[in-house]
Amino acid sequence: MEDAFDRLRLIRSANVGPVGFVQLLARFGSAGAAIAALPDLARRGGGRAPRLADAGAIEAELRRVEALGAQLLFLGSPDYPALLAQIDNPPPVLSYRGRRALMEARVVAMVGARNASASACRFARGLAAELGREGFAVVSGLARGIDTAAHAGSIEDGTIGIVAGGIDIHYPPENRDLQEAIAAQGLLIAEQPPGTEPRARHFPFRNRIIAGLALGTVVLEAAPRSGSLITARLAGEAGREVMAIPGSPLDPRSRGCNQLIRDGAILVQSAADIAEQLGPIDARAVRAPSQPFAPQPIDTEDGTRQRVQDLLSHDFVSVDELVRQSGEPPGAVQTVLLELELAGRLERGAGGRVRLA
């Protein structure tokens, strides 16, 4: 991609998130023009100009990616995975090592407890192997427990590991060999720059990639309020199938899965069950458009800006609700939100929701 340097600099600049990145490109046509417009947009949002990523740092990142044997993949590229591009906040850039073609395979996400039982890990390993024989690739997050078992079971036929930090950071440390094996035999993906140590805030971003790449997500052993249930929720919000393996009501690690089933997730017990659920939607989903939809941002007046700001609070609200209550065009509302975000005054959450920072 010709403007790869500018695109990477744009997303690495302060207060520019995945949604803002898409809207900036939609409005200004190129990353270079968007970078030039950032100071004025932030001023309109009531803040100082965001700190631009240092050009030297971007050059160093590009060199580091190459030295690691990795490649960058930008949103909008023909090779960008179609399913991932459909979510509300697709990653503007990914670094990857391994078999890029796995991004276009029929993919199933498998997630679950880090402190999983031995029997659940054995079941996950066997289920992942069966899914491989059914023609599916398995994506997971390289965490302890169920994730590790899922990768181990699917590495022969196709496994995708999503790391929360940089692509060169091994986390957890004991999965170093597994992570390198995935890069060599399967596909390893990271959104953060090389050298980034994973922090708590990075894991929900990782989870959205896991859910976004897959036709459906299977949960095995998950406590209530666990990261696995976040991944399941993100999958549901993206219109993907949510499936769960039932467990004993006496085991706290099964309560999350049982709750998912009670709330409408599909009960599955084998790879054949999963294939049956995903088969009818496979062709339709994989042929989906590869570009995310974003209302065209438009210039706004002070009155419009104030009306939208007055509707915001420190509680999350959907952008659709702001459009309804403000009576303003979607593009105008998106412009105000973008300005506030660039000014450091807005936080975006899952499902297209926003709140004051």
Side-chain angles (χ1 to χ4, degrees), residues 111 211 217 219 227-237 240 242 260:
V111 295
T217 294
V219 185
S228 300
L229 296 194
I230 293 175
T231 306
R233 175 174 58 79
L234 293 171
E237 290 175 350
R240 315 295 165 79
V242 179
L260 281 175

Side-chain angles (χ1 to χ4, degrees), residues 163-167 169 189-193 196-198 202:
V163 294
I167 200 164
I169 302 299
I189 297 175
E191 180 178 12
Q192 303 303 320
T196 303
E197 293 286 346
H202 295 145

Side-chain angles (χ1 to χ4, degrees), residues 129-304:
E130 289 179 23
L131 284 168
R133 290 191 287 271
E134 291 276 355
F136 291 93
V138 172
V139 62
S140 198
L142 268 163
R144 300 178 180 95
I146 296 299
D147 288 21
T148 296
H151 289 306
S154 58
I155 197 164
E156 294 295 330
D157 292 302
T159 197
I160 305 172
I162 315 296
V163 294
I167 200 164
D168 55 341
I169 302 299
H170 301 97
Y171 185 86
E174 63 266 27
N175 273 355
R176 180 186 185 96
D177 290 345
L178 176 61
Q179 185 168 323
E180 289 302 310
I182 291 172
Q185 298 175 249
L187 180 64
L188 186 68
I189 297 175
E191 180 178 12
Q192 303 303 320
T196 303
E197 293 286 346
R199 298 287 183 262
R201 68 181 182 274
H202 295 145
F203 287 92
F205 288 98
R206 178 205 63 176
N207 293 346
R208 89 189 193 289
I209 299 175
I210 294 172
L213 279 173
L215 295 164
T217 294
V218 182
V219 185
L220 301 86
E221 283 198 346
R225 300 183 180 179
S226 66
S228 300
L229 296 194
I230 293 175
T231 306
R233 175 174 58 79
L234 293 171
E237 290 175 350
R240 315 295 165 79
E241 295 288 354
V242 179
M243 298 161 279
I245 306 294
S248 169
L250 301 178
D251 189 340
R253 292 170 295 195
S254 295
R255 290 176 185 168
C257 291
N258 293 344
Q259 181 68 41
L260 281 175
I261 294 169
R262 196 178 78 170
D263 292 342
I266 300 165
L267 189 158
V268 293
Q269 300 179 88
S270 67
D273 291 343
I274 296 168
E276 181 182 356
Q277 293 300 323
L278 299 182
I281 68 170
D282 178 55
R284 172 179 57 81
V286 171
R287 292 185 176 89
S290 60
Q291 283 282 13
F293 170 76
Q296 179 68 40
I298 59 177
D299 289 331
T300 56
E301 299 178 351
D302 289 343
T304 296

